[in-house]
Amino acid sequence: MFSVVTHIYHCNTTFECYSSCNMVFIHLANIFLLFGIISTFVYYGSNLGSHLDNISPQTFSSSWEKYGWFTLVLYLSQYLALLALPQAVFNFLGFLLFNPFPGDPQIEKPISLVPFICFRVVTKGDYPELVQNNVQRNINTCLDAGLKNFIIEVVADKSTSLVSSLHVREVIVPADYQTSSGAMFKARALQYCLEDRVNQLDDEDWVVHLDEETLLTVNSVRGIINFVCKGKHQFGQGMITYANEQIINYFLTLCDTFRVAEDMGKIQFQLRVLRMPILGWKGSYIVSQLGAERKVSYDNGPDSSVAEDTYFGILAASQGYSFDFIHGNMCEKSPFSLMDFLQQRKRWLQGLLLVAHSSRLPFSVYAWITMPLTTANLFLKPIFPIPVPQVVDISVSFIGGIWMFLYIYGTCRSFSIARVGVFKFLLLLMTGVIVTPFKVVVENIAVVWGLFTPKHKFFVVKKDIAVVSTFHCVCASICIGLTHFWGPVANWGIPIAAIADSGKDVSMISGKMTLALTLYSMIFMRFAWKVQPRNLLLFACHFTNSGAQMFQGYRFLNHYYGKKKEETSS
């Protein structure tokens, strides 16, 4: 607090004093909200399922007597959920140590001292108009920021019909090109750019990696200029937002607000404090010095090719290179459809699993894979209380509180009041909080899907708005929203009720209704899988319900027929 007062005292102008005080107030308010949400989750979450009463099991053996083999599931869901604790702690420290609403960056050195910067866009070439438009927009943004010494290099599998100029270069990756280790997909294209016969940059030059839909902002260009001029670190990354310009799918955009929050929390803490992305980073908005990038290389085999960004970052850190966080945000788009969203998340999860199992990397951490376990605890703990150490209860609740905070902050950061207005901002904020359970369900489906499908695949989401007419987008969003989102959401009331009833008196169970609901869910599981596009949210709903109903059926049969058999035998 003394340093804050001293800083304000030495401000030269009233405006600077006001701005500094405003930043401090915003940071303190954000910390207050953070601690408030975490405290709420810890207070109520750590008491849910606590064994302070005489009815709940007091030991593992008493839990086994009451729940049978299901006791193992309950304990696994509690302890394995702790694998997400490092990610939650990193996010917590990132928001605690750094202001999540920093001011706009200003160029700190003369523009003439800025080294050469190559903005590298990797694409399959399926959307040439999108690439052409974004290249021109990004050139204009760089010029508006005062940057002159740069080029935008598009690396594609097929031509996007770009016209070469002072600031534009197109590189076509030959179909027969292969790396020595068999790298695939984006890693293969990135490695091709580093080949001696292709590369035109010096080792002291800098490369900024972008996706084909990424749009630069003046602030991001200024942040990059400051980063490369300092030259203290070989790699850097900044924040990406997704609620920009025309929004096709508000629900999926709200889901991506979680990623915005992780940029300012986990990634900022990793890069500014630890100087390494040990829990991963994104594949876009990566700024790297070419010499360091060539030494690390993208030629690291098939297992490194699905989540090439995370693999590259951890490998670079293990070789002694340092990282920093870059101020100024870039803009991208969330997936347009729920299926694209699930495919994208599935690929990320599978890539992270391959990274975690790689023998070449000295360290790796599981985190995202535990989301279904953490989510399951919200339902299992109050219904099936088991004795666990208080520190475990508090830690799992802490993870849940961090998740909720990330969604709230991400929504606030993505939809500014100045851009959408006060009323719409409050509406989006409330909507974001209300649909949080459905966001979590969608993310869980992607995790489960990724665990049980082939992992060496690379799905590219549709990114060009111009490909689909506005009318088609509106109609598709309404139809898919009704049949593939709101319909399944309404159905979730059935399994939730079944799970809640599983802790009640067995005499209340109707055997006929339980059988009917089990068969009903099995039929609709098949329907959800066969319909095109597959309705995975509905499938998950009825999969959960069938399991809950079968558990109720087991209780019913054991109560009415199991006891009679025991009495007869005795």
Side-chain angles (χ1 to χ4, degrees), residues 118-388:
C118 172
F119 294 90
R120 180 166 288 162
V121 180
V122 177
T123 174
K124 292 178 68 68
D126 294 334
Y127 307 108
E129 291 186 6
L130 172 69
V131 174
Q132 294 168 17
N133 291 336
N134 286 353
V135 165
Q136 188 57 54
R137 292 182 65 177
N138 287 335
I139 290 175
N140 294 338
T141 300
C142 290
L143 296 175
D144 291 342
L147 184 63
K148 307 293 183 183
N149 197 22
F150 74 96
I151 191 171
I152 296 183
E153 183 180 83
V154 176
V155 183
D157 290 338
K158 52 189 175 185
S159 176
T160 57
S161 303
L162 282 171
V163 179
S164 297
S165 65
L166 176 64
H167 295 304
V168 178
R169 180 191 181 210
E170 185 177 54
V171 176
I172 306 299
V173 182
D176 58 353
Y177 171 72
Q178 293 182 349
T179 70
S180 59
S181 69
M184 304 182 295
F185 314 129
K186 186 177 179 179
R188 169 179 168 270
L190 290 170
Q191 184 61 28
Y192 180 73
C193 299
L194 302 180
E195 300 287 355
D196 291 334
R197 66 181 185 277
V198 180
N199 176 54
Q200 296 181 354
L201 305 175
D202 296 329
D203 284 351
E204 294 75 24
D205 294 336
W206 293 83
V207 179
V208 181
H209 294 280
L210 309 175
D211 286 339
E212 58 189 351
E213 83 275 17
T214 308
L215 290 174
L216 302 174
T217 63
V218 172
N219 285 336
S220 67
V221 175
R222 290 172 178 169
I224 292 169
I225 290 174
N226 292 335
F227 173 77
V228 302
C229 285
K230 289 178 182 177
K232 293 181 179 179
H233 309 281
Q234 295 79 34
F235 299 98
Q237 187 167 74
M239 183 182 72
I240 297 177
T241 60
Y242 304 91
N244 308 292
E245 299 181 344
Q246 182 182 355
I247 298 176
I248 301 299
N249 193 315
Y250 271 92
F251 172 70
L252 298 182
T253 302
L254 287 170
C255 288
D256 269 335
T257 58
F258 186 89
R259 299 173 64 195
V260 176
E262 281 206 317
D263 287 350
M264 297 303 293
K266 177 187 72 176
I267 291 182
Q268 184 169 201
F269 174 77
Q270 289 183 125
L271 304 190
R272 293 184 67 176
V273 178
L274 304 180
R275 300 300 183 189
M276 60 177 68
I278 62 175
L279 294 184
W281 60 345
K282 303 185 301 293
S284 185
Y285 200 166
I286 291 178
V287 182
S288 61
Q289 194 173 44
L290 184 72
E293 185 173 303
R294 296 189 71 181
K295 290 179 181 178
V296 177
S297 175
Y298 289 97
D299 189 13
N300 300 303
D303 287 352
S304 71
S305 302
V306 181
E308 80 293 330
D309 45 6
T310 297
Y311 192 100
F312 180 90
I314 296 177
L315 185 61
S318 68
Q319 295 179 8
Y321 293 105
S322 64
F323 296 71
D324 198 7
F325 188 78
I326 301 173
H327 293 291
N329 68 289
M330 293 186 185
C331 303
E332 291 186 357
K333 288 288 185 185
S334 297
F336 299 159
S337 69
L338 182 60
M339 181 57 68
D340 278 2
F341 182 89
L342 291 171
Q343 290 273 17
Q344 182 191 64
R345 263 43 177 192
K346 175 176 74 75
R347 175 177 69 82
W348 291 348
L349 172 87
Q350 292 174 334
L352 292 177
L353 285 175
L354 292 173
V355 170
H357 294 156
S358 175
S359 59
R360 287 194 59 193
L361 300 179
F363 54 83
S364 55
V365 180
Y366 286 97
W368 193 15
I369 190 176
T370 64
M371 177 178 275
L373 299 174
T374 308
T375 306
N377 280 323
L378 296 175
F379 301 98
L380 295 177
K381 286 174 65 177
I383 300 173
F384 305 103
I386 56 175
V388 294

Side-chain angles (χ1 to χ4, degrees), residues 44-45 47-51 53 55-57 63 66-67 70-71 74 77-78 375-387 393 493-505 544 548 551-552 555:
Y44 290 103
N47 286 320
L48 285 175
S50 62
H51 40 281
D53 53 75
I55 302 176
S56 301
S63 299
K66 184 171 184 178
Y67 306 128
F70 193 60
T71 303
L74 297 175
S77 68
Q78 283 274 4
T375 306
N377 280 323
L378 296 175
F379 301 98
L380 295 177
K381 286 174 65 177
I383 300 173
F384 305 103
I386 56 175
D393 249 351
I494 301 174
I496 290 174
I499 293 172
D501 290 344
S502 60
K504 296 181 180 179
D505 193 323
T544 304
F551 178 73
Q552 290 289 74
R555 294 179 63 210

